[in-house]
Amino acid sequence: MECWPELDSCLVRYPCNTSFEGISSEIISNLLQGNFLRNLNGSLCEELFSSTALTHSFEEDLRAKIETHLSSAGDKIKHYEILCLGVSCLQLFVQVNWTGPQDSIKYNPPLQFLRKSLVNADDCSESQWIEKLAAELVLDGEAISPNIRNLELLLVARAVLNTSFEGLVSAKWWQLRCLMIHQQVLEERSPIIYTQLVDLLSQLTECESVIASSALSAQLQLEAASLWLHYNHVGNAGEAGKAALKQLGLSVDLVGALGKRTKFQEKEIAQLTLSVGVDRERDENEAENTSLAPEPSHTPRDVRLEDDVRLNQIAFSDSDMNNFPLLTPAEQAAILAVCMHKLKSQPKDNLRLEEVYPYLTCLTAQPKVWAIQMSALLQRSKMDSEHRRTVERALMQFQSLSEGVREPEPSAVCRLAWVYCSYLPPAWRLEALLANTYVSLGMVQTALDIFLALQLWEEVIACYNFLKLRHKAAEIIRQELEKKQTVNLLCLLGDATDDIDCYKQAWELSGEKSGRAQRHWAMYYFSRKQYAESIPHLEKSLSINSLQESLWFRLGYAALDQENWPLCAKAYRRYCSLEPEVIQSYHRILDLKEKHVDLEVLKILKTVAVKDIPNFGFPTMIRKQTLKLFGRLTSQVLNNSTVWKLYAEVAAAEEPT
C-alpha cells in the first residue's frame, strides 16, 4: 500500500498543527488535536474492541480481528484511522501516567466495554479487572508496578500497534514507542521487549523515508539513545547522540571562562560552561512545535537557589557566556541526550557534577518544550539533593515538579511533545524522588508515609531499618500479604526475616516463572558466602531474565570460588557483553580517583588473566590489559600489599617476549 508521506511524517513527529488537503477523518483530526478520549469513545473503537472472543490472549485475538478489518478495507484512510486509535490509546496512557493532567479520564474512563471481553463478566471487581490486565502485560515473569493506572490503554495500544500496517513507517515508529513505554511499566528489564526493540530500530534505520530526512533521522537517533541508555548500552547511546548532533548540524563543547560561583568571591577563576554552535542553514521545519510551546506561566517552575554563599548561577565576567543561541526542540532534545550520556557514563563525583551542570543550565535557560524542561530540572534536582548547599532547592524543585504534573495547564498536546526522547520517568517516581530527598534530610517518617502510599516496600523496609524498627517491616509486609499474596512481598518478607521458605513460596506462587524469586533466593546464600548453594538459583534467575548484569557478575564470582571454569567463563563473557567496557571503565575511574581500589574486581581480573580458563576469549589480550591496569593502579596506590601481590601474580604469568 502506498502511504501518504506528509501524514506519515506528521504522525511520527507528533504533535504537529499541519492540515492535510483531501483527508477528511474525524479520528485523525482528534489525534492531532489531542482529543484522545473522543476517539476511544467513538463507534469504530467499540466496533473493533467490544466483542472480542477470547481464544488465545486478548492481544492476539484483537490483533487478528484488526488484521481482518484491514484486509477488507481498501481505503487507505481506514488504515490510518485504526493506527490513530492505537496511538490515541498510547498517548492517553502516557498522559495519565507520565505527563498529566491525570484527572482527565477520572469521570469518563475509556474502553469500559473491554471488561466483558477480558473477564467474561459484566460485574467484575476492580481488583479482578486490574489483575487480568496485568496478567496480559507481564513478560519474563516480571511484575508491573502497582502505581501504573489504566493498563487497558496500554493493552489495546500494544494490540493495535503490533499489527502489520504495510508500508507505514509511522506504524513501526509508534510500535517502537509502545514497547519502550511497556518496558518502563515493568519492574525489571525484559529480554523479550529488548529483542523486539532492537529489531524495530534496525528496520526504521533502513527506511528510505527516514534516511532521506535529516529531521526524522535525528529524531530516530534521539529515541534510540534513550532506548540504549535504558538498557545500559552506554557506548551505543553515545554513538546515537553524536549521530543526532551531526544530523542537526549542532556542536556542543565544554569550555572554560572566568567567573564567580559565590557571593563573596573576589577573584574570578575558570568555570565550565557550554559552547553551542548552530548550523544556520536549517531546513523549513526548524520552528517545528514552537507554536505549541506552553505559555511561560505554564512551564515547569525553575526554583531559584537561595543560599547564603552560593549564587543561583555562575556570574561570568563575560555576560554573553550565559546567553545561548535560540534552539529548536530537536536541538534541545539532542543536548539532553548528550547530558544523559555523561550522567550514565561517568563516575558519581564532583567532576561529573561540574561537567553536567552547563548542559542543564543551557536547557533550563530556554523553557520551550514542557517534557524536556521537566527532565532537565529533574536531573538537576537529583544532583542538588547530594549536596548540603543545594539539597533544600532539590526538595522544593521535586515538590514543584510533582505538583506541575497535576496542574490542568498546559494542554496534554504541549506536554506530550518530544516526550519519547525526554528521559522523563513516570509521575509516581517523582514522588519517590521527593521521599528519597526527605530521607537525606533526616525526615524519615515523612518519607516513610510516601513510600507506603506508593507501595515501595523495599524503601519501606529501609526506612524501618533506619528507625531501628526491623520487626515493624516484617509486620507491615505480613499485613499486605493478608490482603493479597504477591511474589515481591514474599521475597521481601524473606529478606526481612531471613526465612528461605518465603522464597520457595514466592517461586511456587509464580508458577515457577519469577526471576525475582530466584534472585532473592540466590542472594540469601551469596551474602553468606555459600556460593555453591547460590549457583543453581543464580542460573535459574538468569535463564528467565538474562538482562541482569549484576547477577551475571555474581554468578561468575561464585563459579570462580568453586573453580567451575566453564561456568565462570560463560558468566563473565555474558557480563562483559552487557558491560563491554569493564576494564576501560576502571581506567577512567583511575583518571578521576587516585586511590580507588576494588579488591573483589581485581582478584577476578587476576584469576582470569593467570589461569587458562577454557572458552574465555583471548587470554593474552586480557593479560596485557590487566597488566596495564595494575601498572597504573600501583603507581598511584603504593601501600596496598594485596594489590602488589595480585600484580606480581599477573606479571609472573606473562609469557616472555
Side-chain angles (χ1 to χ4, degrees), residues 186-327:
L186 296 175
E187 293 186 343
E188 302 284 346
R189 285 173 292 173
S190 165
I192 293 175
I193 292 181
Y194 173 74
T195 302
Q196 294 173 332
L197 283 169
V198 172
D199 180 56
L200 273 172
L201 187 60
S202 176
Q203 293 180 43
L204 285 168
T205 305
E206 297 171 358
C207 285
E208 291 183 6
S209 58
V210 176
I211 296 172
S213 168
S214 60
L216 289 180
S217 295
Q219 186 164 349
L220 180 60
Q221 293 296 341
L222 291 172
E223 294 187 30
S226 174
L227 183 162
W228 292 125
L229 273 190
H230 188 83
Y231 287 96
N232 288 338
H233 291 291
V234 178
N236 289 349
E239 292 300 318
K242 290 177 184 176
L245 290 174
K246 184 177 180 180
Q247 291 286 350
L248 293 168
L250 187 69
S251 63
V252 290
D253 297 289
L254 289 170
V255 297
L258 292 175
K260 297 179 181 178
R261 184 184 295 272
T262 66
K263 296 178 180 178
F264 308 108
Q265 186 175 338
E266 296 181 358
K267 182 181 179 182
E268 293 181 333
I269 60 175
Q271 310 283 354
L272 279 178
T273 187
L274 197 67
S275 172
V276 182
V278 175
D279 182 1
R280 290 302 172 187
E281 296 181 3
R282 293 170 173 169
D283 62 28
E284 59 185 10
N285 294 317
E286 66 169 326
E288 179 197 14
N289 286 341
T290 52
S291 60
L292 297 170
E295 294 291 329
S297 60
H298 297 152
T299 57
R301 184 168 69 95
D302 183 355
V303 176
R304 286 182 57 84
L305 178 63
E306 302 292 349
D307 184 63
D308 293 337
V309 176
R310 189 176 294 186
L311 294 169
N312 181 54
Q313 62 181 19
I314 297 171
F316 290 102
S317 56
D318 182 357
S319 59
D320 288 340
M321 298 306 296
N322 279 328
N323 296 328
F324 302 99
L326 189 64
L327 300 171

Side-chain angles (χ1 to χ4, degrees), residues 416-430:
L416 289 166
W418 295 90
V419 73
Y420 297 101
C421 45
S422 69
Y423 304 86
L424 198 63
W428 65 268
R429 289 195 183 277
L430 296 177

Side-chain angles (χ1 to χ4, degrees), residues 447-556:
L448 178 60
D449 294 339
I450 297 175
F451 289 138
L452 284 168
L454 295 175
Q455 302 180 52
L456 298 177
W457 304 118
E458 293 185 49
E459 286 79 2
V460 167
I461 291 172
C463 286
Y464 278 127
N465 288 339
F466 185 87
L467 295 169
K468 298 182 179 180
L469 296 170
R470 193 179 183 210
H471 66 282
K472 187 70 176 177
E475 181 183 324
I476 197 78
I477 293 173
R478 287 193 177 99
Q479 290 176 5
E480 293 299 318
L481 283 169
E482 288 176 4
K483 301 176 187 176
K484 182 185 177 181
Q485 285 199 344
T486 67
V487 170
N488 188 27
L489 286 172
L490 284 168
C491 289
L492 293 174
L493 182 61
D495 293 345
T497 61
D498 296 329
D499 183 0
I500 61 174
D501 287 339
C502 294
Y503 307 131
K504 185 177 180 181
Q505 291 178 42
W507 177 242
E508 292 171 351
L509 180 65
S510 71
E512 300 187 351
K513 294 179 180 178
S514 173
R516 176 186 288 271
Q518 287 294 332
R519 182 174 71 246
H520 282 259
W521 203 342
M523 292 310 299
Y524 172 85
Y525 290 118
F526 191 92
S527 63
R528 290 162 176 77
K529 298 185 178 181
Q530 295 174 272
Y531 299 122
E533 291 83 355
S534 72
I535 287 174
H537 300 291
L538 288 167
E539 289 183 298
K540 282 183 182 177
S541 181
L542 288 165
S543 69
I544 295 169
N545 187 342
S546 61
L547 294 180
Q548 304 178 81
E549 297 99 324
S550 61
L551 232 56
W552 282 113
F553 184 85
R554 289 181 171 89
L555 176 59

Side-chain angles (χ1 to χ4, degrees), residues 61-79:
D61 293 333
L62 181 56
R63 190 161 62 243
K65 188 171 183 180
I66 292 171
E67 288 174 350
T68 301
H69 185 89
L70 287 174
S71 62
S72 62
D75 189 350
K76 64 182 70 175
I77 290 183
K78 298 297 182 184
H79 290 249

Side-chain angles (χ1 to χ4, degrees), residues 635-646:
S635 70
Q636 297 171 359
V637 182
L638 305 177
N639 58 351
N640 192 316
S641 60
T642 305
V643 174
W644 281 101
K645 180 183 177 183
L646 295 172

